[in-house]
Amino acid sequence: MIDAGVATGNATQDIDVEARITGPYTEPAEQGGVEYWRCKDYGRESLRRGDVEHSAFHAEECALR
């Protein structure tokens, strides 16, 4: 992010991460019945919420990257 020509942080600091990470959801029993989390922007899913909170997890075009 730029403020009067000075870098003050990155763009993801202004994004509501909680609104873009959804879950937990539960898989159907025939798929294991475990909980998972999803990135709302590009639909990537993980069994660990911590994965979804890291920018490297997200697609290049995702706002959380």
Side-chain angles (χ1 to χ4, degrees):
M1 194 161 68
I2 306 293
D3 183 12
V6 178
T8 59
N10 63 40
T12 59
Q13 290 174 332
D14 291 338
I15 296 169
D16 185 359
V17 173
E18 292 299 317
R20 296 190 184 271
I21 296 174
T22 60
Y25 300 101
T26 303
E27 291 181 335
E30 59 271 6
Q31 293 181 342
V34 298
E35 290 186 340
Y36 65 96
W37 300 84
R38 180 183 296 144
C39 169
K40 189 175 180 180
D41 285 351
Y42 281 86
R44 287 192 177 177
E45 300 172 348
S46 178
L47 300 178
R48 296 182 304 224
R49 180 184 169 102
D51 290 346
V52 186
E53 293 174 349
H54 291 285
S55 65
F57 174 85
H58 298 275
E60 289 290 328
E61 303 82 14
C62 182
L64 294 176
R65 179 100 181 174

